[in-house]
Amino acid sequence: MSPLDISLADLIARLDEELPEADQLARVGEARLRAQTLSDLGDQLIDHYVSKAKQTGASWTEIGDAIGVSKQAAQQRHASGPFERYTDLNRHSIVLAQEAARTHKHDFIGTEHLLLGLLGEPRGLAHAMLVAKSGSEQRIRDAVAAAMPPAGEKAPRGHIAFRPESKAAIEEARRASADLGHDRVGTEHTLLGLIRTEDSPAARILRSLGFTQDELRATVRAETAERPAAGDRL
């Protein structure tokens, strides 16, 4: 019995049906995005059942055996999700990034969408830092709009995959938090993660607006030192 009632022929037929006018190179790019989505969904499927198994008392050794990896590998990969230490406001910014992608009819979440997510959460420290430096929220939105890829034909449904540079920015946000000695990842750390992912669209946008890594890091350090009581909400 096949684990899934799906075949390569089905995936090819659907892509060809949805992009009848696209050339072969465009289809290669679309196939890559869909492959990433399938990979992300597979990871989430495994994570879901790993969590269920842990709730029923399964050990990491047993889970590793079920996945086909060592106990250590299973624990490192599935012990915590990528957003576990994210503050509520920062989690909300990720949701807003997904909705920005959907609104623009993009079937991926790019760093430009993550930047829009930060702009959509005015209670976050990142929003205050962005507006203070650039002079206005609209100036940043205009810069993002100018760099945004063309809209797709229709809004995607369900899960939208992160682009590799967005995953890198999310990882850089966690590292930025750790580098500063913080125990949570706030919107300000995501902003640092974006500019630290130097080749990403968001980093280019931020640099065009006059932002630098060193200045942002210094501002985050100063602002978080002044707002310790609000740290879990930034």
Side-chain angles (χ1 to χ4, degrees):
M1 182 180 67
S2 174
L4 289 175
D5 186 18
I6 190 171
S7 69
L8 176 61
D10 293 333
L11 295 171
I12 292 172
R14 181 170 176 178
L15 193 155
D16 289 343
E17 179 183 350
E18 293 181 0
L19 299 175
E21 306 299 325
D23 62 26
Q24 295 306 317
L25 285 177
R27 295 185 189 202
V28 169
E30 178 66 19
R32 182 187 65 80
L33 288 173
R34 297 191 183 199
Q36 184 63 59
T37 298
L38 289 171
S39 176
D40 288 346
L41 283 172
D43 287 344
Q44 291 180 43
L45 178 65
I46 296 172
D47 286 345
H48 173 79
Y49 284 105
V50 166
S51 177
K52 293 291 186 182
K54 288 300 295 179
Q55 290 174 15
T56 61
S59 70
W60 282 115
T61 298
E62 292 170 324
I63 291 172
D65 289 342
I67 299 174
V69 300
S70 68
K71 167 188 173 181
Q72 292 78 9
Q75 192 168 9
Q76 290 174 4
R77 171 62 183 83
H78 300 283
S80 62
F83 305 116
E84 182 183 33
R85 293 196 299 117
Y86 271 47
T87 62
D88 289 344
L89 296 188
N90 206 14
R91 288 174 187 265
H92 187 224
S93 80
I94 298 296
V95 173
L96 294 175
Q98 176 178 284
E99 292 310 306
R102 202 182 307 279
T103 297
H104 287 86
K105 300 180 180 179
H106 295 155
D107 55 2
F108 58 88
I109 300 174
T111 58
E112 58 271 50
H113 303 115
L114 292 176
L115 185 53
L116 287 177
L118 294 177
L119 284 175
E121 183 42 86
R123 297 169 296 171
L125 178 54
H127 182 278
M129 293 168 59
L130 286 165
V131 173
K133 175 70 174 178
S134 64
S136 74
E137 179 180 318
Q138 190 57 50
R139 185 184 175 205
I140 305 170
R141 290 190 177 278
D142 289 344
V144 174
M148 190 71 73
E153 295 183 359
K154 60 181 180 180
R157 296 181 179 179
H159 174 75
I160 305 177
F162 288 97
R163 275 193 162 170
E165 60 266 30
S166 296
K167 290 184 176 182
I170 289 168
E171 179 59 31
E172 287 293 343
R174 292 199 293 268
R175 289 176 181 169
S177 173
D179 290 346
L180 289 164
H182 298 161
D183 60 0
R184 80 289 178 291
V185 183
T187 59
E188 69 277 17
H189 300 115
T190 294
L191 183 57
L192 279 173
L194 290 175
I195 201 167
R196 286 170 62 159
T197 311
E198 295 184 352
D199 293 331
S200 70
R204 291 194 291 271
I205 292 168
L206 290 169
R207 289 195 297 268
S208 74
L209 293 168
F211 290 89
T212 66
Q213 287 192 46
D214 291 343
E215 182 185 17
L216 275 179
R217 189 175 188 277
T219 303
V220 169
R221 184 184 292 279
E223 291 290 339
T224 52
E226 293 177 1
R227 306 187 191 189
D232 61 337
R233 301 194 300 275
L234 298 174

